Short mmCIF file of all heavy atoms in Angstrom, two decimals:
data_model
loop_
_atom_site.label_atom_id
_atom_site.label_comp_id
_atom_site.label_asym_id
_atom_site.label_seq_id
_atom_site.Cartn_x
_atom_site.Cartn_y
_atom_site.Cartn_z
N ILE A 1 93.65 106.71 101.30
CA ILE A 1 94.63 106.29 100.17
C ILE A 1 94.97 107.52 99.32
O ILE A 1 94.20 107.82 98.37
CB ILE A 1 93.88 105.18 99.25
CG1 ILE A 1 93.26 104.08 100.04
CG2 ILE A 1 94.95 104.57 98.24
CD1 ILE A 1 92.38 103.22 99.23
N PRO A 2 96.18 108.04 99.63
CA PRO A 2 96.58 109.28 98.83
C PRO A 2 96.77 108.86 97.34
O PRO A 2 96.92 107.74 97.00
CB PRO A 2 97.84 109.70 99.53
CG PRO A 2 97.86 109.08 100.84
CD PRO A 2 96.97 107.76 100.66
N ASN A 3 96.85 109.83 96.49
CA ASN A 3 97.05 109.68 95.03
C ASN A 3 98.34 108.89 94.97
O ASN A 3 99.39 109.12 95.63
CB ASN A 3 97.22 111.02 94.48
CG ASN A 3 95.93 111.83 94.32
OD1 ASN A 3 95.51 112.25 95.36
ND2 ASN A 3 95.19 111.89 93.32
N GLY A 4 98.40 108.03 93.91
CA GLY A 4 99.62 107.39 93.45
C GLY A 4 99.87 106.13 94.29
O GLY A 4 100.84 105.47 93.97
N GLN A 5 99.11 105.63 95.23
CA GLN A 5 99.39 104.47 96.05
C GLN A 5 98.46 103.32 95.86
O GLN A 5 98.50 102.35 96.49
CB GLN A 5 99.22 104.92 97.50
CG GLN A 5 100.39 106.00 97.76
CD GLN A 5 100.48 106.30 99.33
OE1 GLN A 5 99.88 105.53 100.13
NE2 GLN A 5 101.28 107.19 99.74
N ASN A 6 97.53 103.37 94.90
CA ASN A 6 96.61 102.34 94.57
C ASN A 6 96.09 102.34 93.09
O ASN A 6 95.15 102.94 92.80
CB ASN A 6 95.38 102.39 95.54
CG ASN A 6 94.66 101.10 95.53
OD1 ASN A 6 95.04 100.05 95.33
ND2 ASN A 6 93.34 101.11 95.86
N THR A 7 96.81 101.72 92.23
CA THR A 7 96.64 101.78 90.80
C THR A 7 96.46 100.39 90.15
O THR A 7 96.93 99.37 90.69
CB THR A 7 97.65 102.53 90.01
OG1 THR A 7 98.98 101.78 90.18
CG2 THR A 7 97.79 103.93 90.46
N PHE A 8 95.69 100.28 89.13
CA PHE A 8 95.34 99.06 88.38
C PHE A 8 95.51 99.30 86.86
O PHE A 8 95.39 100.40 86.36
CB PHE A 8 93.96 98.54 88.62
CG PHE A 8 93.49 98.60 90.08
CD1 PHE A 8 92.90 99.85 90.70
CD2 PHE A 8 93.62 97.52 90.92
CE1 PHE A 8 92.59 99.79 91.93
CE2 PHE A 8 93.29 97.54 92.23
CZ PHE A 8 92.69 98.78 92.83
N THR A 9 95.81 98.15 86.21
CA THR A 9 95.87 98.30 84.72
C THR A 9 94.97 97.39 84.03
O THR A 9 94.74 96.24 84.52
CB THR A 9 97.29 98.11 84.18
OG1 THR A 9 97.75 96.77 84.62
CG2 THR A 9 98.30 99.17 84.63
N THR A 10 94.41 97.70 82.93
CA THR A 10 93.56 96.88 82.15
C THR A 10 93.63 97.12 80.68
O THR A 10 93.92 98.16 80.27
CB THR A 10 92.10 97.10 82.59
OG1 THR A 10 91.32 96.24 81.78
CG2 THR A 10 91.58 98.57 82.53
N ASN A 11 93.52 96.08 79.82
CA ASN A 11 93.57 96.26 78.40
C ASN A 11 92.14 96.32 77.81
O ASN A 11 91.96 96.15 76.63
CB ASN A 11 94.37 95.07 77.76
CG ASN A 11 93.86 93.60 78.12
OD1 ASN A 11 92.76 93.53 78.75
ND2 ASN A 11 94.46 92.73 77.58
N SER A 12 91.11 96.42 78.75
CA SER A 12 89.72 96.56 78.25
C SER A 12 89.17 97.94 78.71
O SER A 12 89.93 98.57 79.41
CB SER A 12 88.76 95.37 78.82
OG SER A 12 88.65 95.45 80.11
N ASN A 13 88.01 98.26 78.35
CA ASN A 13 87.47 99.56 78.74
C ASN A 13 86.47 99.37 79.86
O ASN A 13 85.59 100.06 80.15
CB ASN A 13 86.76 100.22 77.59
CG ASN A 13 85.57 99.45 77.06
OD1 ASN A 13 85.53 98.17 77.21
ND2 ASN A 13 84.61 100.01 76.40
N SER A 14 86.75 98.36 80.76
CA SER A 14 85.98 98.24 82.04
C SER A 14 86.88 97.54 83.02
O SER A 14 87.86 96.81 82.68
CB SER A 14 84.66 97.50 81.79
OG SER A 14 85.01 96.09 81.31
N ILE A 15 86.52 97.62 84.36
CA ILE A 15 87.35 97.03 85.43
C ILE A 15 86.36 96.88 86.66
O ILE A 15 85.53 97.74 86.89
CB ILE A 15 88.59 97.74 85.73
CG1 ILE A 15 89.48 96.94 86.75
CG2 ILE A 15 88.13 99.20 86.36
CD1 ILE A 15 90.77 97.57 87.00
N ASP A 16 86.47 95.85 87.46
CA ASP A 16 85.85 95.60 88.59
C ASP A 16 86.76 96.03 89.80
O ASP A 16 87.94 95.43 89.82
CB ASP A 16 85.26 94.18 88.82
CG ASP A 16 84.23 93.78 87.84
OD1 ASP A 16 83.26 94.69 87.88
OD2 ASP A 16 84.36 92.81 87.12
N ILE A 17 86.40 96.91 90.69
CA ILE A 17 87.18 97.21 91.79
C ILE A 17 86.61 96.64 92.96
O ILE A 17 85.39 96.77 93.35
CB ILE A 17 87.28 98.73 91.98
CG1 ILE A 17 87.76 99.49 90.63
CG2 ILE A 17 88.12 99.15 93.06
CD1 ILE A 17 89.18 99.21 90.28
N THR A 18 87.46 95.88 93.78
CA THR A 18 87.02 95.23 95.00
C THR A 18 87.90 95.66 96.14
O THR A 18 88.76 96.40 96.08
CB THR A 18 87.15 93.66 94.82
OG1 THR A 18 88.44 93.29 94.60
CG2 THR A 18 86.34 93.18 93.63
N GLY A 19 87.54 95.30 97.36
CA GLY A 19 88.26 95.55 98.57
C GLY A 19 87.90 97.03 99.15
O GLY A 19 88.73 97.45 99.87
N LEU A 20 86.84 97.56 98.69
CA LEU A 20 86.48 98.92 99.22
C LEU A 20 85.87 98.89 100.52
O LEU A 20 85.32 97.84 100.99
CB LEU A 20 85.41 99.55 98.17
CG LEU A 20 85.95 99.70 96.86
CD1 LEU A 20 84.76 100.28 95.99
CD2 LEU A 20 87.22 100.54 96.66
N ASN A 21 85.91 100.01 101.34
CA ASN A 21 85.30 100.07 102.59
C ASN A 21 84.05 100.74 102.66
O ASN A 21 83.79 101.75 101.95
CB ASN A 21 86.30 100.82 103.53
CG ASN A 21 87.66 100.18 103.70
OD1 ASN A 21 87.77 98.84 103.85
ND2 ASN A 21 88.73 100.86 103.84
N PRO A 22 83.11 100.16 103.30
CA PRO A 22 81.69 100.84 103.39
C PRO A 22 81.90 102.28 104.04
O PRO A 22 82.74 102.54 104.88
CB PRO A 22 80.88 99.88 104.32
CG PRO A 22 81.62 98.64 104.35
CD PRO A 22 83.11 98.94 104.11
N TYR A 23 80.91 103.23 103.62
CA TYR A 23 80.81 104.44 104.04
C TYR A 23 82.20 105.25 103.90
O TYR A 23 82.38 106.26 104.60
CB TYR A 23 80.54 104.39 105.63
CG TYR A 23 79.23 103.64 105.89
CD1 TYR A 23 79.38 102.45 106.49
CD2 TYR A 23 78.06 104.21 105.53
CE1 TYR A 23 78.25 101.61 106.66
CE2 TYR A 23 76.91 103.41 105.82
CZ TYR A 23 76.96 102.16 106.36
OH TYR A 23 75.88 101.35 106.60
N GLU A 24 82.97 104.96 102.96
CA GLU A 24 84.15 105.82 102.59
C GLU A 24 83.96 106.36 101.14
O GLU A 24 83.53 105.69 100.21
CB GLU A 24 85.35 104.86 102.71
CG GLU A 24 86.66 105.68 102.44
CD GLU A 24 87.91 104.95 102.98
OE1 GLU A 24 87.75 103.84 103.69
OE2 GLU A 24 89.09 105.26 102.62
N ASN A 25 84.31 107.66 100.95
CA ASN A 25 84.37 108.27 99.73
C ASN A 25 85.53 107.88 98.76
O ASN A 25 86.71 107.94 99.37
CB ASN A 25 84.28 109.73 99.84
CG ASN A 25 83.01 110.30 100.60
OD1 ASN A 25 81.94 109.47 100.52
ND2 ASN A 25 83.02 111.35 101.08
N TYR A 26 85.33 107.49 97.56
CA TYR A 26 86.40 107.23 96.73
C TYR A 26 86.45 107.95 95.39
O TYR A 26 85.28 108.36 94.96
CB TYR A 26 86.29 105.62 96.25
CG TYR A 26 86.62 104.76 97.43
CD1 TYR A 26 85.60 104.21 98.25
CD2 TYR A 26 87.89 104.25 97.65
CE1 TYR A 26 85.84 103.29 99.20
CE2 TYR A 26 88.11 103.43 98.69
CZ TYR A 26 87.20 102.89 99.51
OH TYR A 26 87.37 101.99 100.51
N THR A 27 87.52 108.23 94.92
CA THR A 27 87.70 108.90 93.63
C THR A 27 88.41 107.99 92.70
O THR A 27 89.41 107.51 93.08
CB THR A 27 88.51 110.29 93.72
OG1 THR A 27 87.87 111.08 94.48
CG2 THR A 27 88.64 110.79 92.27
N PHE A 28 87.96 107.70 91.50
CA PHE A 28 88.58 106.95 90.42
C PHE A 28 89.00 107.77 89.30
O PHE A 28 88.12 108.49 88.69
CB PHE A 28 87.73 105.67 90.03
CG PHE A 28 87.45 104.73 91.05
CD1 PHE A 28 86.19 104.90 91.80
CD2 PHE A 28 88.21 103.69 91.31
CE1 PHE A 28 85.88 103.95 92.79
CE2 PHE A 28 87.97 102.84 92.34
CZ PHE A 28 86.77 102.90 93.08
#
């Protein structure tokens, strides 16, 4: 998932991220 292709917005200071793949490195 290159930069700029998977973004979310929230009006609070927390968020739940789902749909991740096991054994894959992610940067948020």
Side-chain angles (χ1 to χ4, degrees):
I1 310 174
N3 296 75
Q5 296 187 11
N6 195 24
T7 60
F8 313 88
T9 59
T10 177
N11 58 5
S12 70
N13 61 334
S14 65
I15 190 171
D16 291 308
I17 305 295
T18 59
L20 304 178
N21 296 321
Y23 306 106
E24 187 165 345
N25 296 339
Y26 290 91
T27 298
F28 293 97

